Every structure is written in structure tokens, then in C-alpha cells.
Amino acid sequence: MQKYKNLLLIFAVMLSVSGCWQRKPAIVKSGTIEVMGTFANVVATADDKETARIAVRAAIEKLHYVDELMSDYDPESELSKLNQHGYDKPIKVSDDLLHVLKSAVEFSRISDGAFDVTIGPVVDLWRSAGEKGKTPTAEQIAQAKSKTGYRKLIIDDENSTVRFAVKGMRLDLGAIAKGYSIDLAIDAMRDKGAIGAMVDVGGDIRCFGNPSGKSYWRIGLQDHRKQGQILLVLKLNDAAVATSGDYQRFVVIDDQQHSHIMNPEKADSAMELSSVTVVAPAAMQADALATAVTVMGAESGMRLIETVDGAETLLVPNSDELAFIHTKGIAKYIDTDFNPDTYSSPSKVTK
Ligand code: AMP
Ligand code: MG
């Protein structure tokens, strides 16, 4: 009997070593969904298909939830209501909006004002300048600038209210809300029992666990000069990545390109860097920091990233020659086997 027991034990060990003992995790993909004015993709792995499906559904719900709160297209969103009435009286806001605004102020503080969600009036000015094809006057720029500045955002933590110090202020969460929605979606998937997941909203991505027996997700970095071309591949697990760039959204006035990312100090667009990728533990952090570094430029931007735990950055300067500037620690994420000519598709692309 003992002999059979031993044989059984050996057989069991062989099965588990060969991987046959455990079932392969089930993978469920959302397919492309439209949310926050961009495209999103969600993938979950779980012990069984139903769990993975529930996790994906929970993640999508979170993405739509944040969109409903923080959209500036929807006049009924919580953010729009705050923008409409924030100067008249203190406005009570949800815990989620309060959290994002408090975090935004913290990012403003550490970036010395380079990141600033009160940038709305300046964004509006340049958008309408682009439509008219006419550079704004110094007076218009000064006017718009007077309605910005994160210190003019009055947050009452105890009463969960927000108020604007100056008339005409407008909050723009375009550089942080996507990241926040991804973090909520990832948390929801963990709660629902996913053992691995990836959420991509407009190229901002967070992932954990493994996609298919590997210990990482492969995330391609889009070549800013050529759609569909990958510059390099990052191997990530339990991390987020976001890229801010001047090459996809900009206006051209008198042959001059103006990026959608604004330097709050100058009330004009930030143009030193073509693309800024930030890897960080959470997606809101990666999202906000990528925007902040774009404004700050290579030198102070890298200095900022070096002060943030677990954050790394890779920058592509705005020049004819392709070049990279990066923090030392990014090397551990770069797939050294990647060959741009023969690559197999990465899991996702950050752009
Ligand atoms: P991202 O693609 O994450 O870099 O976000 C860019 C968007 O954030 C822009 O389209 C604006 O809506 C907004 N934005 C522009 N400049 C800034 C800034 N300096 N700080 C925060 N948000 C900004
Ligand atoms: Mg951002």
C-alpha cells in the first residue's frame, strides 16, 4: 500500500511540476469600449471564466462611473456643475471627486505648479485660437491666466466642499481622471477575484498578475513619429504607465504647432518634449506625473520623478533626431529582446 502511496505522490509532484495539475486561468477581454472621450480595453484572468467576466464587468462600470462624475462634455456631470457654480458658493462634492482634487493639488505642489487642473481657461483660449487660426493677444493670455492657479481652488476637506476664489475658473481633469478611473477599475477587479488584469484607457495602463503564464505584461511604446510603429517594449507587473505627448493633440496657428498640454506659468503650450512616459505604482500618479514632466522639461522633470517612490520616466525630446532621456531605474522594465523590425504584438500600447 505504501508503495502505491509513494507512486501516487510522485505522480502528483510530476503533474504539478509540469503545470497540468492546475487548470490554466481563464482570460476574458472586454473588446474596445468608448469612455472618457477615448477608447478603453479591459482584460481579466481568473480561475474560471465567470469570475473573469464579472471582474471585467465591474471594471467597465467603474470607468463609466468616473466618466459620469468628471466629464467636462456632459453638462450634468458633477465636475460640470462645480465648474458652473463653484464661484457662487461652496459646492458639496463626492468622495471620489474630492480625492482627485486633493491629489491634483498635491501634484501641483510637488511639480511647483507645472501640473494644474485649474488650467481650463487657458486650454479654452488656445482651443478657440486654433479654431480661428489666430494667436491670442498678450492681454487675452493674461486674462485667461488670471483665472488659473491651484491656490485659487479652495477645498474644505471636513465639509467635502470646493469653491473657486476667482470668477470664471474652470477645472479640467483631462490629465488625471483617466488614471483615477483605471485605479478604481483595477481595485474592483481584485475585489471580484481576478488573479491578473490590465486596464487601458486611451493608452494609460495599469496591470497586475500575468496574462498567459508569463510574469509580466508587455506594453509597447508608440513611436510618436509613425502610427502603428513601436519604439520599445516595457515589461510590467503590478505597475501603471502613462504617456503624454505633443504629437496627437495640438493646434496649428501661423505654421506653429501648439500642444494641448499647457505651461501654466506661460499660459502657452509646453513644447520641449515630444513624449513623456512615466511608470509608477498607480495610474493616477503616472497620468498626472507624465503631464507634469511634459511641462517641466527634461531636467526638472527627471528631478521630480526621482523624488517619487517607485516612479521612473522615459522622455523623447522634441527634435529631428530620435533620442531618449531616462531615469536609471527604467532599465529594469525595458524588454531587451525587443527588436522593432521583428516584434510580435505587445499586450498594449501606451501613447
Ligand atoms: P495628458 O494627456 O494626461 O497629458 O492630459 C492632457 C490634458 O490635460 C489636456 O488636454 C488638458 O485638458 C489638460 N492639461 C493641459 N495642461 C495641463 C497642465 N499643465 N496641468 C494639468 N492638466 C493639463
Ligand atoms: Mg496625464
Side-chain angles (χ1 to χ4, degrees):
M1 191 60 198
Q2 187 56 39
K3 192 169 119 199
Y4 286 115
K5 265 193 183 161
N6 285 347
L7 269 178
L8 207 65
L9 189 69
I10 291 166
F11 185 56
V13 169
M14 277 168 65
L15 272 179
S16 56
V17 167
S18 68
C20 307
W21 190 248
Q22 284 171 336
R23 274 198 303 161
K24 252 180 99 179
I27 299 189
V28 172
K29 301 179 181 182
S30 66
T32 302
I33 42 181
E34 272 190 68
V35 69
M36 304 204 157
T38 185
F39 299 110
N41 274 278
V42 175
V43 183
T45 61
D47 291 334
D48 59 89
K49 204 141 201 146
E50 186 53 17
T51 305
R53 217 175 273 135
I54 288 170
V56 166
R57 220 175 293 139
I60 295 172
E61 253 170 45
K62 290 291 180 190
L63 300 183
H64 285 297
Y65 164 72
V66 174
D67 195 7
E68 273 162 31
L69 286 187
M70 300 181 200
S71 158
D72 49 10
Y73 288 101
D74 175 6
E76 293 302 310
S77 74
E78 193 180 15
L79 180 70
S80 295
K81 291 203 171 132
L82 172 60
N83 278 335
Q84 285 154 29
H85 307 294
Y87 178 67
D88 309 330
K89 54 180 192 274
I91 306 290
K92 198 138 188 108
V93 296
S94 63
D95 289 350
D96 288 287
L97 185 54
L98 190 72
H99 176 69
V100 168
L101 292 179
K102 279 167 58 186
S103 307
V105 168
E106 185 56 20
F107 288 118
S108 294
R109 204 185 54 72
I110 64 170
S111 68
D112 218 2
F115 182 87
D116 195 335
V117 292
T118 68
I119 200 71
V122 171
V123 171
D124 294 341
L125 177 67
W126 281 98
R127 189 178 293 142
S128 79
E131 283 160 10
K132 293 182 200 134
K134 215 166 148 224
T135 311
T137 63
E139 200 189 320
Q140 285 172 318
I141 291 177
Q143 258 282 323
K145 197 181 156 184
S146 71
K147 296 174 199 156
T148 69
Y150 72 95
R151 291 191 180 87
K152 296 173 189 152
L153 185 62
I154 305 158
I155 299 178
D156 180 343
D157 207 357
E158 230 161 78
N159 295 307
S160 300
T161 63
V162 179
R163 185 169 195 176
F164 300 159
V166 172
K167 201 170 176 174
M169 283 173 67
R170 183 180 78 77
L171 302 181
D172 179 332
L173 300 183
I176 190 169
K178 280 204 296 277
Y180 183 64
S181 72
I182 295 169
D183 289 335
L184 287 195
I186 287 282
D187 288 348
M189 290 208 278
R190 277 192 213 270
D191 275 358
K192 297 292 182 192
I195 55 171
M198 195 269 320
V199 180
D200 159 27
V201 181
D204 290 357
I205 295 161
R206 182 167 166 187
C207 54
F208 72 88
N210 62 52
S212 52
K214 291 210 179 76
S215 57
Y216 51 80
W217 296 77
R218 297 175 74 230
I219 314 287
L221 173 62
Q222 157 85 50
D223 188 335
H224 58 289
R225 303 155 309 172
K226 197 165 171 219
Q227 187 66 31
Q229 188 91 9
I230 302 294
L231 281 177
L232 51 83
V233 170
L234 299 171
K235 299 197 295 190
L236 295 187
N237 191 354
D238 218 351
V241 60
T243 298
S244 285
D246 69 3
Y247 57 95
Q248 278 188 326
R249 287 162 59 203
F250 53 81
V251 295
V252 180
I253 310 170
D254 295 335
D255 292 335
Q256 264 233 283
Q257 193 168 310
H258 297 268
S259 152
H260 66 123
I261 297 172
M262 298 295 156
N263 181 330
E265 177 66 34
K266 296 187 180 143
D268 195 346
S269 62
M271 297 300 290
E272 179 190 322
L273 299 166
S274 273
S275 139
V276 172
T277 298
V278 170
V279 175
M284 178 167 73
Q285 217 182 3
D287 191 4
L289 289 173
T291 310
V293 173
T294 305
V295 174
M296 295 169 89
E299 218 182 294
S300 10
M302 298 247 292
R303 226 178 297 132
L304 166 65
I305 294 298
E306 269 154 14
T307 67
V308 180
D309 263 0
E312 303 293 344
T313 187
L314 179 111
L315 321 170
V316 181
N318 184 358
S319 62
D320 294 337
E321 285 285 298
L322 176 66
F324 295 113
I325 308 174
H326 56 86
T327 49
K328 260 202 217 120
I330 198 98
K332 62 179 172 286
Y333 298 116
I334 293 179
D335 183 352
T336 47
D337 293 332
F338 171 73
N339 175 343
D341 302 321
T342 59
Y343 71 88
S344 65
S345 275
S347 315
K348 263 294 140 242
V349 175
T350 176
K351 51 205 175 198

